[in-house]
Amino acid sequence: MSHECDHPPEVRRKPRLTRPRFDSAGLPSREISSRVSEGRAAGASLYEIDAPALARLRPDLVLTQSVCGVCAVDLPEVERAVRGMSPRPRVLSLDPSSLEDVLEDVRRVGEAAGADGAASRVLAELRTRVRAVAGRREGSGRRPRTVFLEWLDPPMVGGHWIPRMIDLAGGRDALGRAGEPSRFVAWDEVLRADPEALLLGPCGFDLARARREVDLVRSRPGFDSLEAVRSDRVFLVDGNAHFSRPGPRLVDGLEILGAILHPESSPARAPEGAFERL
């Protein structure tokens, strides 16, 4: 398990095999962003692997990713860690750029782990839930302009799977680019987009941590003039659990988006307490 693994709760009892090279707890968003930028510019990894502990576990399969070197250990680090292991485990890198890619990764992991049947059942259920949200969207002609901020200072809009999730939930992403990485934007771009719904879901933050950051957005010039603010449609979501991580809980995030963007037809299954109206 990585140091970030926390779901389901029982994984917290598993050995932790990675750790960050700096402690971001308590640091403001801009300071975290600055340290990350400095590390990346210097070509340094932001995380390290406990290679001896990994070797002692003698895994057959190691899952990793190359989607984002900021969020987790990436493929080159893992390949270096397993290079001297005998027998050498299979390394499977999951690198989705869309919601469909994420769903297909369920199948890929199932096949690699010898659990094809279980993976097929999970995948079928997830696709059914996705279709249910998309079907409710079809009944509404209104598609509110939506901005999803994945980081608050400096502002970053969600990319990859986020724009497609907004589309499936019945919104229109005003700034995100489907299938492309998340990107920093000037605050003026948010003002010009004038979203009808503004979602704040900082990457890696749960609701409690994100709640401490909201004044970074509220204090920006022109915030009160946004249509989303005037119509009371600014929402805080748990980016860490439901939006940032490319796994099955993105479907929970999709259902949350449906509840936010079209509450008149939202599914009852959107997790209780999964979002807050600011």
Side-chain angles (χ1 to χ4, degrees):
M1 298 290 107
S2 79
H3 63 284
E4 295 279 10
C5 293
D6 58 7
H7 183 83
E10 52 265 30
V11 304
R12 296 176 184 271
R13 299 193 293 269
K14 303 291 185 180
R16 295 293 198 239
L17 300 176
T18 69
R19 54 184 170 263
R21 295 187 185 274
F22 74 90
D23 185 5
S24 62
L27 292 179
S29 291
R30 184 164 288 274
E31 176 67 17
I32 294 173
S33 184
S34 294
R35 292 205 186 186
V36 167
S37 297
E38 289 168 4
R40 300 296 284 176
S45 173
L46 300 176
Y47 306 95
E48 56 186 348
I49 299 174
D50 187 340
L54 178 62
R56 287 193 297 271
L57 291 173
R58 297 175 63 84
D60 300 308
L61 174 66
V62 175
L63 302 179
T64 187
Q65 60 88 45
S66 290
V67 175
C68 180
V70 171
C71 299
V73 172
D74 58 14
L75 179 58
E77 286 289 312
V78 175
E79 289 179 331
R80 281 191 287 271
V82 305
R83 192 168 293 150
M85 293 174 60
S86 181
R88 185 168 175 171
R90 176 184 177 187
V91 175
L92 176 61
S93 184
L94 306 175
D95 308 311
S97 61
S98 68
L99 180 60
E100 181 58 32
D101 290 344
V102 174
L103 295 178
E104 275 300 301
D105 277 346
V106 173
R107 179 187 57 77
R108 294 180 65 214
V109 171
E111 289 178 350
D116 307 55
S120 294
R121 290 190 292 274
V122 170
L123 184 54
E125 179 188 356
L126 292 173
R127 291 193 188 282
T128 295
R129 290 167 60 191
V130 170
R131 286 194 297 269
V133 175
R136 279 181 286 270
R137 175 203 66 182
E138 297 300 327
S140 174
R142 187 173 59 86
R143 298 177 65 81
R145 291 186 313 281
T146 303
V147 167
F148 188 107
L149 290 183
E150 192 176 83
W151 198 249
L152 306 186
D153 188 25
M156 170 185 279
V157 294
H160 296 300
W161 43 83
I162 293 292
R164 178 58 174 159
M165 290 170 65
I166 290 171
D167 175 66
L168 287 168
R172 179 168 57 86
D173 194 323
L175 292 176
R177 298 168 180 170
E180 297 185 18
S182 303
R183 64 188 182 95
F184 289 109
V185 296
W187 178 247
D188 282 350
E189 291 183 64
V190 179
L191 294 179
R192 288 195 297 272
D194 193 20
E196 298 168 271
L198 176 61
L199 285 80
L200 311 179
C203 180
F205 289 1
D206 60 15
L207 275 175
R209 178 70 173 87
R211 201 178 295 122
R212 302 203 301 267
E213 303 282 322
V214 296
D215 284 344
L216 296 172
V217 177
R218 281 176 168 155
S219 63
R220 289 190 177 275
F223 174 78
D224 290 336
S225 69
L226 293 173
E227 173 63 26
V229 177
R230 298 199 309 271
S231 60
D232 196 24
R233 301 197 73 192
V234 181
F235 299 89
L236 189 66
V237 298
D238 189 335
N240 192 50
H242 301 128
F243 296 94
S244 303
R245 299 178 179 182
R249 285 195 293 172
L250 287 185
V251 178
D252 293 342
L254 176 63
E255 291 167 342
I256 291 165
L257 286 174
I260 288 173
L261 298 177
H262 291 284
E264 72 285 352
S265 60
S266 71
R269 67 182 303 157
E272 184 71 24
F275 63 91
E276 299 175 3
R277 189 188 299 268
L278 295 187

